[in-house]
Structure formats: structure tokens, C-alpha cells
Amino acid sequence: MARTYTTTQGDMWDLIAHTKLGDTAHTDKLMNANQQYLGYYTFPAGIVLTLPEVPDDITDEAPPWKQVDDE
């Protein structure tokens, strides 16, 4: 059975990934599992999101949008 999370007013993708999945690095997985809500940056209360399964071993690498290109 899939785990879900019901948003509260002001929730954001990275905050949900951090609090419910353990790391902001899982934000992309959360967004991919809930593509119908990609139009939201800040959520209203009451949106039910599917929480994806995430591996226990997470790298220390920053998500793609936070990486700095050293070129």
C-alpha cells in the first residue's frame, strides 16, 4: 500500500521531501510520483501526495537544481 501525505498550507516540495522522506535529495522522486501537482510551488492545505519509496543509502550530492557548475 502506497504511503501518502496530506499537505498543510505553505508546504513546499523540498520541505515535504526533507520531513517525510528524510532528505531534500528525494525532491525529484516526490515530484515524479505526483506529476499532477507540478503546478504548485507552495501547496494549499488538503492535497494528498503519494510518497515514493526511497533507498536507505543516500549520497551527499546536492539535487541538480542546487549544484554549482565550476566551469
Side-chain angles (χ1 to χ4, degrees):
M1 184 161 138
R3 296 184 315 146
T4 61
Y5 170 71
T6 303
T7 62
T8 59
Q9 179 69 36
D11 276 344
M12 295 190 302
W13 292 104
D14 57 346
L15 175 66
I16 298 167
H18 175 73
T19 58
K20 298 299 173 184
L21 303 176
D23 198 302
T24 58
H26 297 304
T27 304
D28 60 333
K29 294 173 188 67
L30 179 64
M31 293 174 84
N32 285 333
N34 296 281
Q35 293 186 10
Q36 68 272 36
Y37 301 116
L38 292 179
Y40 289 104
Y41 176 74
T42 303
F43 285 97
I47 302 291
V48 179
L49 300 176
T50 300
L51 298 176
E53 294 296 321
V54 294
D56 289 335
D57 58 324
I58 181 84
T59 65
D60 289 333
E61 190 173 313
W65 64 90
K66 290 187 176 181
Q67 293 179 3
V68 176
D69 188 11
D70 292 331
E71 292 181 20

